[in-house]
Amino acid sequence: MTNCHPSLLSYFTTYWNYTIYSIFGRFVQFIIRWTMAEYKVPKGYAPLLQSYEQFFVLHLFGRLHDAFSRPIESAPGRKIRIIKRKHNFGDFYDDIQKTLTNQTCDALNFASYNYLGFAEAPAHCKKEVYDALETFGVGSCSPTLEFGYSTIHRKLEQRIARFVDKDDALIFGMGFATNSTVIPALVGPGCLIMSDSLNHASIITGVRASGASISVFKHNDMKHLEQLIRFNISNGQPRTHRKWKKILVIFEGIYSMEGEMCPLPDMIRLKKKYNLYLYMDEAHSIGATGPTGRGVAEYYGTGTKDIDIMMGTFTKSFGSVGGYIAADQQIIDHLRSSAFGSCYATGMPPAAAQIAESALKVIMGEDGTNIGKEKIAQLRKNEELLRVGLQNLGFEVIGDPHSPVMCIMLYNPTKMASVARIAMKQGIAIVVVGAPATDLIEGRIRFCVSAAHTEMDIKYTLAFMDRLGDFCLLKYNLPRLQQLKRLIF
């Protein structure tokens, strides 16, 4: 569970809202099942869609659909151009194409994972991308084990391996597929996976596909993790009680829905004590955390030697697509021929690989400029300015101080749509998140801070959030009576 502190009033109003939604939704579901042909199940067939999933899409998500899936008409840089979607009260969820309008609006972008601003890359990086596009074309058109692997891919693998101080690296065309196809190649039946309760869906997919036994520990709770380790080691495999073939602990560097860092030094301590393997997902921390952007290991000063598998993506700090695994040479050699994402998936587009390689070169200072250092310093400044400002206004802000992801708790689902719509009208693009991506009670706003933001951008956003917090009663760290007074007067 996220480290938040909802009041009894927040619990009551949130569950009351979901109760009203459910009662009203069940009534409407009963009516449309007999009156709307598109929702009728043909005679003799079982429903293709699960009833709960259909109910959720129609009557919960469907009521707020215009607050999500907003198409854009620009690069996801400091500002973003968004195509407006229409929303009529009482509408059920409809296809996104049917709700689009011909209107657009420009907004400050706190929604995209553009931590270092490489969505709008420096001119010399763009030139390298254009050259790669001219030489290698748009797509790889083949898996990496056939003809989808180029010199650009190899350069990127070598550079990311050197960046995180590992022997070698293997790149993939999709971040989600990196986790979901690598984990089954590392563990299988007879193995044990210890997984953090808030791990990303890609990790959960890979864990389930592996066939290994699974033990889930409470989020960032090292005491609970150690208890589970001791229990599972002493009991062994189910039924046979044989010794586990291997135990793999999987966790994230920064958790994307919380902005919280993992307690890496404690993880390493447990690894050494119980002879475990560590698998760390640095999708949101690589490039954005640590003095030179080398991630959580650099932030804590532990180094990467004791982290067996280092996963990351190029979609956040590097302005590209895809993911990577960095590890010892023997592990990488095994994954090249065993991970389905490497064997069967089409290789990463060469131009996308080039922008990631160029961004890494800038961050490492090997392009002959100080742009990388300046971007990291600006990101730190923006993180602190926004976080401290929101806390001083009375919002309940979760996440660690040096994380580019920060969240404000909303709790109530009806506030999600209101906040997203009001923010859009005021020219600020933010993400609202609720169940099932979070626990039912834990709806929130997520801000993704970027080095591309200016001090004026942050101050404008804080001024808007001050007004929004008063209007929607979001300042949970202020006494309730004080919130009401600010709303009325």
Side-chain angles (χ1 to χ4, degrees):
M1 182 176 179
T2 299
N3 185 25
C4 58
H5 306 90
S7 65
L8 289 177
L9 181 61
S10 296
Y11 269 111
F12 175 78
T13 55
T14 300
Y15 281 117
W16 177 250
N17 269 269
Y18 278 113
T19 300
I20 295 299
Y21 273 134
S22 299
I23 293 173
F24 181 73
R26 289 298 178 188
F27 174 76
V28 175
Q29 187 90 346
F30 176 79
I31 299 299
I32 66 174
R33 187 173 295 173
W34 299 103
T35 59
M36 299 177 69
E38 59 265 36
Y39 294 107
K40 289 184 178 180
V41 178
K43 187 176 181 180
Y45 283 80
L48 182 60
L49 301 177
Q50 296 292 330
S51 58
Y52 173 76
E53 294 173 354
Q54 187 185 39
F55 177 82
F56 183 86
V57 168
L58 284 175
H59 305 291
L60 296 178
F61 175 75
R63 299 285 179 181
L64 319 175
H65 63 82
D66 64 304
F68 306 95
S69 304
R70 289 169 163 166
I72 64 174
E73 273 193 350
S74 69
R78 168 180 162 263
K79 285 198 170 185
I80 193 168
R81 178 161 295 172
I82 303 169
I83 303 175
K84 292 183 179 181
R85 295 180 62 188
K86 60 185 177 182
H87 172 75
N88 298 316
F89 181 77
D91 276 357
F92 294 112
Y93 178 76
D94 209 346
D95 183 84
I96 186 173
Q97 298 297 329
K98 298 179 182 178
T99 63
L100 295 180
T101 68
N102 294 323
Q103 299 176 321
T104 62
C105 65
D106 292 336
L108 281 174
N109 185 10
F110 287 93
S112 302
Y113 306 131
N114 184 32
Y115 299 143
L116 293 181
F118 281 105
E120 297 173 316
H124 63 288
C125 293
K126 290 181 180 179
K127 183 181 183 304
E128 292 174 345
V129 174
Y130 295 149
D131 291 343
L133 193 62
E134 184 70 25
T135 303
F136 295 96
V138 176
S140 295
C141 302
S142 181
T144 55
L145 285 187
E146 296 175 10
F147 292 93
Y149 190 74
S150 68
T151 54
I152 291 180
H153 295 107
R154 187 58 191 151
K155 285 180 182 178
L156 176 57
E157 289 176 343
Q158 292 173 334
R159 188 173 293 278
I160 192 65
R162 189 155 53 88
F163 186 62
V164 298
D165 195 23
K166 285 293 184 182
D167 291 349
D168 202 356
L170 174 63
I171 62 173
F172 296 78
M174 181 181 179
F176 192 100
T178 305
N179 279 327
S180 60
T181 65
V182 164
I183 293 172
L186 292 172
V187 290
C191 302
L192 175 65
I193 294 175
M194 314 290 293
S195 180
D196 189 287
S197 61
L198 296 184
N199 274 340
H200 190 262
S202 61
I203 295 176
I204 296 172
T205 302
V207 166
R208 289 175 176 173
S210 70
S213 297
I214 306 166
S215 184
V216 179
F217 61 92
K218 296 177 184 177
H219 174 56
N220 276 352
D221 190 333
M222 295 299 99
K223 184 177 180 180
H224 186 234
L225 173 58
E226 186 166 14
Q227 289 173 349
L228 291 177
I229 292 170
R230 292 171 67 90
F231 174 82
N232 283 285
I233 288 177
S234 61
N235 284 275
Q237 298 183 37
R239 295 188 297 276
T240 64
H241 301 291
R242 292 177 180 173
K243 183 180 178 181
W244 297 103
K245 294 179 180 178
K246 68 186 86 166
I247 301 177
L248 180 66
V249 182
I250 305 180
F251 55 96
E252 298 185 34
I254 290 180
Y255 291 83
S256 61
M257 291 298 174
E258 288 73 31
E260 297 170 352
M261 291 188 191
C262 67
L264 183 58
D266 292 329
M267 289 285 189
I268 293 175
R269 176 182 60 82
L270 292 178
K271 165 195 168 64
K272 294 178 178 179
K273 184 176 180 180
Y274 296 102
N275 298 325
L276 313 172
Y277 291 103
L278 298 185
Y279 182 115
M280 182 166 68
D281 179 338
E282 285 218 272
H284 289 268
S285 52
I286 193 68
T289 307
T292 62
R294 284 173 166 80
V296 173
E298 184 185 40
Y299 174 80
Y300 284 113
T302 61
T304 61
K305 179 181 177 181
D306 294 311
I307 307 169
D308 302 283
I309 311 292
M310 298 188 68
M311 179 270 178
T313 66
F314 300 115
T315 54
K316 280 77 178 177
S317 295
F318 308 110
S320 185
V321 297
Y324 68 86
I325 294 290
D328 294 340
Q329 191 66 57
Q330 183 181 7
I331 297 174
I332 297 301
D333 291 343
H334 166 74
L335 292 177
R336 284 192 192 280
S337 58
S338 302
F340 289 166
S342 174
C343 300
Y344 302 114
T346 301
M348 188 177 180
Q354 181 60 65
I355 185 57
E357 200 268 341
S358 298
L360 272 167
K361 195 187 303 182
V362 171
I363 295 169
M364 297 169 74
E366 296 180 0
D367 65 330
T369 71
N370 289 322
I371 294 176
K373 291 182 179 179
E374 293 169 358
K375 283 180 175 292
I376 293 172
Q378 185 64 41
L379 178 60
R380 298 285 175 271
K381 180 181 177 182
N382 291 345
E383 289 169 356
E384 182 177 5
L385 185 61
L386 182 60
R387 184 181 301 278
V388 172
L390 291 171
Q391 290 172 337
N392 290 340
L393 290 174
F395 293 99
E396 185 177 355
V397 183
I398 62 172
D400 286 321
H402 296 282
S403 168
V405 180
M406 60 190 74
C407 299
I408 295 175
M409 300 309 298
L410 294 178
Y411 299 118
N412 199 305
T414 57
K415 293 183 179 182
M416 291 168 53
S418 299
V419 165
R421 292 164 187 162
I422 294 172
M424 186 61 62
K425 289 181 180 178
Q426 295 298 315
I428 297 178
I430 54 177
V431 172
V432 290
V433 187
T438 68
D439 286 347
L440 196 65
I441 187 70
E442 295 177 0
R444 65 196 65 178
I445 306 171
R446 183 176 67 179
F447 286 90
C448 292
V449 187
S450 173
H453 293 134
T454 65
E455 184 175 346
M456 290 301 298
D457 294 338
I458 304 295
K459 289 181 177 179
Y460 174 81
T461 303
L462 289 172
F464 162 72
M465 289 303 299
D466 188 21
R467 299 191 301 271
L468 180 67
D470 291 337
F471 181 73
C472 294
L473 296 178
L474 303 179
K475 299 180 179 179
Y476 294 111
N477 283 351
L478 293 180
R480 183 66 61 177
L481 182 60
Q482 186 176 343
Q483 291 190 57
L484 291 174
K485 286 182 179 179
R486 288 176 64 90
L487 175 62
I488 296 172
F489 300 106

